[in-house]
């Protein structure tokens, strides 16, 4: 593994989470599935990084590898400058309280047989924290649940949106630095989705959270993120400031993704430059046998011979806007 | 067959359709007084959140609701495939209805994995309806099935046809489901969340495919979705459903520029928009969709509506047409008068 730092990592003092050349392989039968390959990014304090891509691109695997669930095959995860991949046992458990996770399906993430209050208090109980019940009341109030009436009920008595509030309360109980949200709103109805997105913004401000927000919905990711990282077939394609990426997508895959979104406002789309982008053809190649060179080249409308031979490295196309493509689309 | 006749006569004319279902909690008022008409070549988009009754309505049009589940149904569903007269599907015996499913009307479901039989080769699933309804023999049916797979954009169809569903990706499976639905050239296609389980790039491929096939076959289509974006550019008319009712019905463009019902507006404003800068505060709709068991009197949206007045809690607002616009209807006592929220919408 080369120790050369990729150019899109920032040299700042307030980096809470730094992921370096992360790779995760899974053995499936005799094959090795390269779920994540050489992914690096950093997240500064108070920042939200959106991780987007289609199913199978490895975005959830990255989220889980940060938590060491399971530990990555290669690469490092620096949380507050501490290398989590080097830790194990008690030290890892201790460190991991600083990172918490919420998941896509809020109902199956909660034990149906336990009371809401006990679910939220579990982390506090395990670590023997003082004043657990005070803390539980506080986080329940923060996420908009009435501790007195909701605390003694069980998850099935709540709607999906309410269950996601319970999950958020549980994740906040231990006062984490980093919250990893894996598709937290994609199972919710649109009217409830907005409530949860607003709640996450409020919690981020109130508890000074740093977030990694994993989702496939590009509009949702844009709404909540300061920076966005786009993944395709286990690799990072493009990373940078949210508004810059959405206004001037440089990677052909990002452009194809953005052009595919049906917008609810048919009139707002007419002037968008990406509307003439060709529709993505074909199917996602197998991550067990990814294409050589650039992994997107088999579906890329701009692919050339060089794309098959050389793996594209991250290059800057603007301030805080990096793309891994030999022939990025540059718009003024 | 005279084309003029089929053009003027709608394929489907639904009047005051009401469906109530049995459940362990009581009577579910799933569909309440829904009316619309649909002609050949036209697409009706039906938008609503989960539990708004859109899927129950679709299944009742297809006659797919289990008989035991339906406690009560009323209204009329006049259907006319090719020749008049139109016939009321609700009064038709099941024996006759089953001859319509496939040749006259077909449906596509949300999850292409569960819609296909995992233990049967595609060839069996694709040829079933043409052999049953059109009477093709095994050889002809196979040729037809390969044609169909080609038409829905599956490469190497003559090899694929002998595969099983698990050997295909999600997008490919949904193409197969579409091919099965179109096997007998139906006049009406109901697509219930056809792309919800798919990725955005695949979603676009599938929606484009449906639009092309609809043009080629001159079908009437009902496109059911929870995503306003999916129907915005693909439907001619849009019906917004809430708690079993159509609360607003309008031509697609009118709906987005001159929406009348507060729920339509609230739904529209709660969606994160790709053109808004990041960290734009979303206007969430407070509360959650109502239970459909023994619904409270009054407008079902009143508890969540920012414009609700005392009257809204007591009386159910009737469906009324907007002045001078016959095909724009809403069910609200206090419709939005000006173009709401997004003033830039008609720039």
């Amino acid at each position: 593994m080369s120790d050369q730092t990729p150019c899109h990592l920032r040299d700042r003092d307030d980096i809470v989470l730094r992921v370096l050349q992360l790779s995760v392989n899974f053995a499936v039968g005799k094959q090795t599935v390269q779920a994540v390959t050489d992914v690096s990014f950093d997240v500064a304090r108070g920042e939200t990084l959106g991780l987007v891509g289609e199913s199978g691109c490895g975005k959830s695997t990255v989220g889980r590898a940060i938590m060491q669930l399971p530990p990555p095959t290669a690469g490092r995860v620096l949380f507050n400058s501490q290398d989590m991949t080097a830790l194990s046992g008690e030290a890892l458990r201790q460190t991991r309280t600083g990172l918490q996770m919420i998941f896509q399906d809020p109902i199956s993430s909660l034990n149906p047989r336990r009371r809401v209050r006990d679910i939220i208090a579990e982390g506090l109980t395990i670590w023997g924290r003082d004043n657990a019940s005070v803390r539980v009341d506080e986080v329940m109030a923060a996420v908009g649940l009435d501790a007195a009436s909701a605390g003694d009920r069980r998850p099935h008595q709540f709607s999906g949106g309410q269950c996601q509030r319970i999950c958020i309360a549980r994740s906040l109980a231990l006062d984490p630095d980093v919250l990893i949200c894996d598709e937290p709103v994609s199972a919710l109805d649109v009217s409830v989705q907005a409530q949860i997105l607003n709640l996450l913004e409020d919690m981020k401000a109130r508890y000074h959270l740093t977030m990694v927000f994993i989702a496939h919905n590009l509009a949702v990711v844009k709404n909540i993120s300061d920076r966005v990282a786009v993944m395709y077939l286990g690799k990072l394609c493009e990373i940078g400031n949210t508004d810059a990426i959405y206004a001037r997508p440089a990677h052909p895959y990002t452009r194809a993704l953005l052009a595919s979104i049906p917008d609810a406002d048919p009139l707002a789309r007419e002037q968008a430059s990406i509307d003439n982008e060709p529709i993505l053809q074909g199917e996602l190649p197998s991550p067990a046998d990814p294409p050589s060179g650039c992994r997107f080249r088999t579906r890329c409308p701009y692919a050339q011979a060089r794309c098959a031979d050389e793996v594209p490295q991250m290059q800057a196309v603007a301030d805080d806007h990096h793309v891994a493509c030999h022939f990025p689309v540059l718009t003024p | 067959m005279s084309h003029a006749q089929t053009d003027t006569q709608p394929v489907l004319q639904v009047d005051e359709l009401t469906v109530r279902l049995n459940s362990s909690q009581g009577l579910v008022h799933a569909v309440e007084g829904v009316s619309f008409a649909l002609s050949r070549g036209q697409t009706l988009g039906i938008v609503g959140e989960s539990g708004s009754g859109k899927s129950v309505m679709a299944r009742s049009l297809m006659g797919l609701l289990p008989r035991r589940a339906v406690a009560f149904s009323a209204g009329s569903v006049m259907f006319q495939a090719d020749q008049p007269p139109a016939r009321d599907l609700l009064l038709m015996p099941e024996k006759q209805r089953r001859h319509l499913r496939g040749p006259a009307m077909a449906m596509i479901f949300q999850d292409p994995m569960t819609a296909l039989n995992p233990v049967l080769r595609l060839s069996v699933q694709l040829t079933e309806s043409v052999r049953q309804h059109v009477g093709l023999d095994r050889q002809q049916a196979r040729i037809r099935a390969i044609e169909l797979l080609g038409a829905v954009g599956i490469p190497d169809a003559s090899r694929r046809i002998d595969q099983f569903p698990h050997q295909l990706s999600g997008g490919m499976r949904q193409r197969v489901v579409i091919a099965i639905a179109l096997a007998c050239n139906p006049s009406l296609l109901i697509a219930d969340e056809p792309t919800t389980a798919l990725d955005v790039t695949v979603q676009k491929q599938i929606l484009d495919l449906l639009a092309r096939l609809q043009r080629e076959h001159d079908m009437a289509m009902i496109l059911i979705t929870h995503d306003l974006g999916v129907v915005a550019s693909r439907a001619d008319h849009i019906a917004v459903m809430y708690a079993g009712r159509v609360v607003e019905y309008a031509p697609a463009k009118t709906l987005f520029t001159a929406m009348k019902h507060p729920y339509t507006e609230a739904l529209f404003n709660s969606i994160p928009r790709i053109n808004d800068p990041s960290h734009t505060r979303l206007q969430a709709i407070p509360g959650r969709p109502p239970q459909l068991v023994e619904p409270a009197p009054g407008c079902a949206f009143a508890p969540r509506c920012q414009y609700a007045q005392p009257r809204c809690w007591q009386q159910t607002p009737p469906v009324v047409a907007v002045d001078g616009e016959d095909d724009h209807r809403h069910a609200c006592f206090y419709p939005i008068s000006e173009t709401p929220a997004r003033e830039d919408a008609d720039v």
Side-chain angles (χ1 to χ4, degrees), chain B residues 119-139:
Chain B
V119 299
L120 293 180
R121 292 178 199 279
L122 300 184
S123 56
V124 180
Q125 307 191 48
L126 277 158
T127 53
E128 185 183 355
S129 68
V130 280
R131 295 194 64 192
Q132 183 71 233
H133 294 292
V134 187
L136 299 184
D137 66 28
R138 194 183 288 264
Q139 207 52 43

Side-chain angles (χ1 to χ4, degrees), chain A residues 54-55 159 189-195 197-198 201-202 204 218-220 222-226 242-243 246 253 256-270 279-283 299, chain B residues 49-50 169 172 199-205 208 226-230 232-233 253 256-257 267-268 270-289 304 342 345-346:
Chain A
E54 296 179 277
S55 44
S159 64
D189 264 317
V190 275
S191 70
V192 180
Q193 169 180 300
Q195 296 173 9
L197 288 172
N198 284 343
E201 290 273 32
D202 294 343
K204 182 186 157 193
L218 288 128
V220 166
K222 183 179 183 190
N223 181 268
I224 202 156
S225 307
D226 302 296
T242 303
D243 290 328
Y246 280 74
Y253 177 63
L257 265 186
L258 285 169
S260 305
I261 308 172
D263 196 273
D265 190 342
L267 300 153
R269 271 300 283 279
E270 278 159 18
I279 308 168
L280 217 50
Q281 299 296 333
E283 299 271 317
R299 301 171 76 193
Chain B
E49 298 180 85
S50 46
S169 69
M172 285 287 170
D199 279 318
V200 278
T201 55
V202 183
Q203 163 169 291
K204 188 167 161 91
Q205 293 172 2
D208 287 348
H226 66 277
D227 186 344
L228 270 172
V230 167
S233 52
K253 217 154 197 169
F256 290 103
T257 52
L267 192 63
F268 193 67
S270 69
I271 303 170
R273 313 296 295 281
I274 204 83
N275 290 319
D276 288 342
S278 57
H279 300 296
T280 300
R281 187 83 182 168
L282 299 171
Q283 297 177 37
I285 310 177
R288 57 177 169 131
R304 305 173 78 189
R342 290 184 69 84
D346 45 11

Side-chain angles (χ1 to χ4, degrees), chain A residues 105-305:
Chain A
D105 183 350
I107 297 170
S108 67
S109 317
L110 299 172
N111 187 334
R113 305 174 63 128
R114 306 192 63 198
R115 291 176 208 281
V116 169
R117 167 174 293 282
D118 300 333
I119 290 172
I120 296 172
E122 180 157 25
L124 298 163
T125 317
I126 288 172
W127 290 98
R129 301 279 167 93
D130 298 334
N131 295 326
S133 72
V134 177
R135 179 70 184 164
V136 170
D137 286 351
E138 194 213 316
V139 290
M140 283 185 79
V143 299
L145 292 170
D146 178 35
S149 66
D152 289 327
R153 292 199 276 163
R154 289 185 169 82
H156 71 93
Q157 293 169 288
F158 295 88
S159 64
Q162 299 285 87
C163 284
Q164 198 57 288
R165 287 175 195 271
I166 297 169
C167 291
I168 294 171
R170 172 173 63 180
S171 71
L172 295 175
L174 280 171
D175 199 16
D177 285 335
V178 174
L179 190 61
I180 297 173
C181 310
D182 190 358
E183 299 270 12
V185 296
S186 46
L188 305 176
D189 264 317
V190 275
S191 70
V192 180
Q193 169 180 300
Q195 296 173 9
I196 298 297
L197 288 172
N198 284 343
L199 175 68
L200 284 170
E201 290 273 32
D202 294 343
M203 293 303 100
K204 182 186 157 193
R206 179 165 175 172
Y207 294 103
H208 311 290
L209 295 169
T210 301
M211 289 206 289
V212 177
F213 190 96
I214 300 163
H216 68 279
N217 184 324
L218 288 128
V220 166
V221 167
K222 183 179 183 190
N223 181 268
I224 202 156
S225 307
D226 302 296
R227 298 179 85 224
V228 171
V230 183
M231 286 185 70
Y232 180 81
L233 207 62
K235 298 275 280 187
L236 212 55
C237 302
E238 188 161 4
I239 186 167
N241 174 276
T242 303
D243 290 328
I245 286 188
Y246 280 74
R248 292 175 295 281
H251 198 287
Y253 177 63
T254 314
R255 297 179 68 81
L257 265 186
L258 285 169
S260 305
I261 308 172
D263 196 273
D265 190 342
L267 300 153
R269 271 300 283 279
E270 278 159 18
Q271 64 271 45
S273 68
I274 49 158
D275 261 13
N276 301 322
E277 200 67 22
I279 308 168
L280 217 50
Q281 299 296 333
E283 299 271 317
L284 195 72
S286 162
D289 182 23
S292 64
C294 173
R295 291 193 179 177
F296 184 56
R297 70 176 165 84
T298 53
R299 301 171 76 193
C300 180
Y302 310 108
Q304 303 194 18

